[in-house]
Amino acid sequence: MGHSRAYPVFRTTDAAEAYARAGRLVALLERLDDTVFVEAEVRTVAEARRLAALLPEPAADPLEPVSGEHLPREVDVARAEDAEIEAALPLCLSGDVPVGTLGEDLLRALGQGTASVDWHGRWPDDRDTGRPGSHQYDGVQLVFHGEDVQGAERTPHHTVFVHLDKREDLTRARGLAALVGGEILGDVQIGW
């Protein structure tokens, strides 16, 4: 067991620019999984409806800790009445989406909360070092309104990360970042 190493390689306050830059990195993957994982914080019924329309069978989990008698009921955001969704807010909606089905509609669906889009795949073998890509750890992540892979703290920035096997080093991350006009923007983080 382990985790990927996640390197922040691009940051902006323009969500469309961040999404485009992430897309350029995704295009560099030698292999791409069939689905993309999307997770987003929703605080209004409208946000929940917009996002649920994009996610086949979204999971809806409480965003804030709950205890005692106020345990939330499971809510099927795609089919629930507005009042039932309102009573369950704030929520974290998540789900897998087939590759190639997301686009600008995702940007319109997201609210002001943090969100993450994860493309898992495999980077091509590194010709300079001879190291192979990793089916388990490689990929691209875009965190909306966040500067860390967990999206723990809301910021005005959107950050693109490259994920690499833990045996890789900063050199490979720098090389990938440079291919899309990016650079390493901070310390490595524990990824997926």
Side-chain angles (χ1 to χ4, degrees):
M1 285 306 259
H3 296 281
S4 66
R5 290 178 178 246
Y7 295 88
V9 298
F10 184 74
R11 187 171 290 131
T12 180
T13 56
D14 182 331
E17 183 179 9
Y19 191 79
R21 196 69 57 112
R24 289 174 52 197
L25 278 165
V26 168
L28 297 174
L29 289 164
E30 178 180 83
R31 185 194 57 75
L32 182 61
D33 285 1
D34 294 338
T35 59
V36 177
F37 182 72
V38 177
E39 181 176 65
E41 172 185 308
V42 295
R43 295 195 175 270
T44 69
V45 172
E47 289 173 9
R49 293 269 185 230
R50 288 192 309 262
L51 196 57
L54 298 178
L55 301 177
E57 300 180 37
D61 297 305
L63 189 60
E64 297 170 355
V66 293
S67 63
E69 348 175 317
H70 300 357
L71 292 176
R73 295 179 318 188
E74 286 190 28
V75 59
D76 181 346
V77 176
R79 294 173 186 82
E81 297 292 326
D82 286 356
E84 188 178 358
I85 296 170
E86 181 74 38
L89 293 172
L91 291 168
C92 176
L93 292 188
S94 62
D96 289 315
V97 179
V99 149
T101 60
L102 290 177
E104 295 289 323
D105 52 345
L106 173 66
L107 303 179
R108 289 186 295 274
L110 295 174
Q112 293 301 308
T114 60
S116 177
V117 181
D118 304 348
W119 293 268
H120 291 258
R122 182 180 184 275
W123 297 113
D125 296 345
D126 188 328
R127 290 187 301 225
D128 296 334
T129 65
R131 288 190 179 144
S134 169
H135 293 284
Q136 185 173 4
Y137 298 114
D138 291 352
V140 177
Q141 180 180 19
L142 171 53
V143 176
F144 292 97
H145 297 293
E147 295 181 5
D148 65 73
V149 294
Q150 304 304 322
E153 184 178 324
R154 189 196 180 288
T155 72
H157 300 100
H158 314 293
T159 306
V160 178
F161 294 87
V162 294
H163 286 256
L164 299 166
D165 186 283
K166 61 188 168 206
R167 294 171 292 202
E168 290 292 344
D169 61 17
L170 194 56
T171 305
R172 176 86 183 237
R174 274 192 191 118
L176 290 167
L179 291 173
V180 297
E183 62 183 327
I184 303 301
L185 300 174
D187 294 333
V188 65
Q189 298 178 33
I190 295 174
W192 49 58

